[in-house]
């Protein structure tokens, strides 16, 4: 295990250092607790509704989200996040663009609703119908939260503050996962929500989110000096210069962020196409039925007159 020490530079990131790890009690405990609670809820939901077992795909998505989170926090990415900006950017992209969508696909709120009975079930239902739940489930709120989160956490002094305070950095990880879930639940999963976006609106929702990553990435790529003094405290003598490191991170946010935002648009577009095809088939059937009824009426009138 590699331990980060203040103002002490780590070895160059290559070779065996790619296998380095770092562990913190709080993130480990939270990930294990989330896994245990989700699997327990799956078992309980299946016991309550044995004829409608919980989707194994959703369970796999949740486990995948936890694995992605663990990799971004405990692997070499977590080890070098306080020394390399581009490494920290990779961590953020994994959390908000990979782990968060997987958690949205896993539909944890629906699982909670299905795994409860009696008074607990009534309370969960009441919470889901509350004004706060309606507010958090609104697509506009989710979009604005994402639009504010990305620039603030990468372009302001907040980022430097997280480098200087690891506990705050851990909180930031939870914020990425939480707000990322709110953003991606509009696209994936089927958690209870009074708002259901049409595929066309989902497509536009994702399309409008792309400039947020582009703006943040280009802003970083155009910097001519180090924005975050905490990186300079390590006096790193290897790898890219502080400004080049900033530029690499900006390009990652721009290119990788936009790519990760673009790929969900493919299934959304296919779903939109499928919906329009079904709509066309339904209209054709209605027109055929109307034509058949009109023909029958005409034939009936002709036969009656004959």
């Amino acid at each position: 295990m590699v331990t980060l020490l203040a103002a002490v530079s780590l070895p160059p990131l290559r070779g065996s250092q790619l296998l380095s790890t770092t562990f913190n009690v709080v993130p480990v405990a939270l990930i294990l607790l989330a896994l245990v609670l989700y699997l327990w809820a799956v078992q309980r939901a299946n016991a309550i509704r044995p004829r409608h077992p919980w989707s194994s795909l959703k369970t796999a998505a949740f486990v995948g989200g936890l694995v992605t989170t663990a990799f971004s926090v405990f692997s070499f990415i977590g080890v070098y996040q306080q020394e390399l900006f581009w490494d920290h950017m990779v961590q953020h992209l994994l959390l908000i663009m990979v782990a968060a969508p997987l958690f949205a696909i896993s539909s944890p709120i629906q699982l909670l609703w299905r795994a409860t009975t009696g008074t607990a079930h009534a309370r969960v239902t009441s919470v889901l119908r509350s004004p706060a739940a309606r507010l958090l489930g609104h697509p506009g709120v989710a979009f604005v939260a994402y639009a504010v989160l990305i620039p603030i956490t990468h372009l302001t002094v907040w980022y430097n503050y997280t480098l200087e305070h690891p506990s705050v950095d851990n909180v930031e990880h939870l914020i990425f996962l939480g707000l990322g879930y709110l953003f991606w639940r509009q696209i994936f999963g089927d958690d209870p929500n009074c708002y259901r976006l049409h595929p066309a609106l989902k497509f536009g929702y994702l399309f409008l989110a792309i400039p947020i990553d582009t703006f943040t990435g280009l802003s970083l790529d155009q910097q001519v000096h180090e924005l975050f003094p905490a990186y300079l405290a390590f006096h790193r003598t290897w790898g890219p210069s502080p400004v080049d490191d900033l530029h690499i991170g900006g390009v990652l946010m721009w290119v990788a962020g936009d790519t990760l935002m673009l790929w969900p648009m493919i299934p959304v577009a296919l779903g939109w196409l499928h919906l329009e095809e079904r709509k066309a088939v339904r209209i054709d059937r209605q027109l055929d039925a109307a034509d058949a009824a009109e023909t029958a009426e005409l034939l009936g009138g002709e036969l009656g007159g004959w």
Side-chain angles (χ1 to χ4, degrees), residues 59-132:
T59 302
F62 189 83
V63 174
L66 291 180
V67 170
T68 302
T69 301
F71 178 74
S72 68
V73 175
F74 303 141
S75 71
F76 71 91
I77 296 175
V79 174
Y80 281 83
Q81 64 161 327
Q82 288 184 299
E83 195 149 339
L84 289 168
F85 177 78
W86 70 260
D87 177 87
H88 210 147
M89 185 64 72
V90 170
Q91 182 187 66
H92 288 182
L93 288 173
L94 285 173
L95 289 173
I96 202 166
M97 294 290 197
V98 181
L102 288 172
F103 288 135
I105 293 172
S106 70
S107 303
I109 297 178
Q110 184 194 42
L111 176 61
L112 174 64
W113 188 80
R114 288 182 56 172
T116 54
T117 57
T119 303
H121 186 76
R123 288 178 179 175
V124 171
T125 302
S126 177
V127 170
L128 293 177
R129 293 175 177 174
S130 66

Side-chain angles (χ1 to χ4, degrees), residues 44 95 101 130 144 155 219 234 242-243 252 261 290:
R44 181 168 172 80
L95 289 173
S130 66
V144 170
L155 299 176
S219 297
F234 289 94
V243 174
L252 282 172
M261 190 67 73

Side-chain angles (χ1 to χ4, degrees), residues 15-39:
S16 62
Q17 296 304 318
L18 294 174
L19 300 177
S20 59
T21 56
T22 179
F23 294 99
N24 184 286
V25 174
V26 174
V28 170
L30 289 176
I31 288 175
L32 291 177
L33 179 62
L35 178 62
V36 170
L37 288 177
Y38 191 92
L39 295 180

Side-chain angles (χ1 to χ4, degrees), residues 190-266:
D190 50 6
D191 274 334
N193 192 3
C194 59
Y195 307 100
R196 292 292 178 185
L197 291 178
H198 185 278
L201 293 178
K202 288 184 179 181
F203 192 89
Y205 179 87
L206 292 172
F207 182 79
L208 291 176
I210 292 176
I212 299 169
D213 299 328
T214 303
F215 166 77
T216 304
L218 288 176
S219 297
L220 292 167
D221 187 46
Q222 293 174 0
Q223 296 300 318
V224 295
H225 59 84
E226 175 60 70
L227 287 178
F228 312 113
Y231 281 123
L232 301 177
F234 289 94
H235 305 290
R236 178 169 51 81
T237 59
W238 52 268
S241 68
V243 174
D244 288 342
D245 185 28
L246 205 62
H247 292 170
I248 295 172
V251 172
L252 282 172
M253 168 60 76
W254 173 23
V255 178
D258 286 359
T259 300
L260 290 171
M261 190 67 73
L262 280 170
W263 77 260
M265 296 174 72
I266 298 175

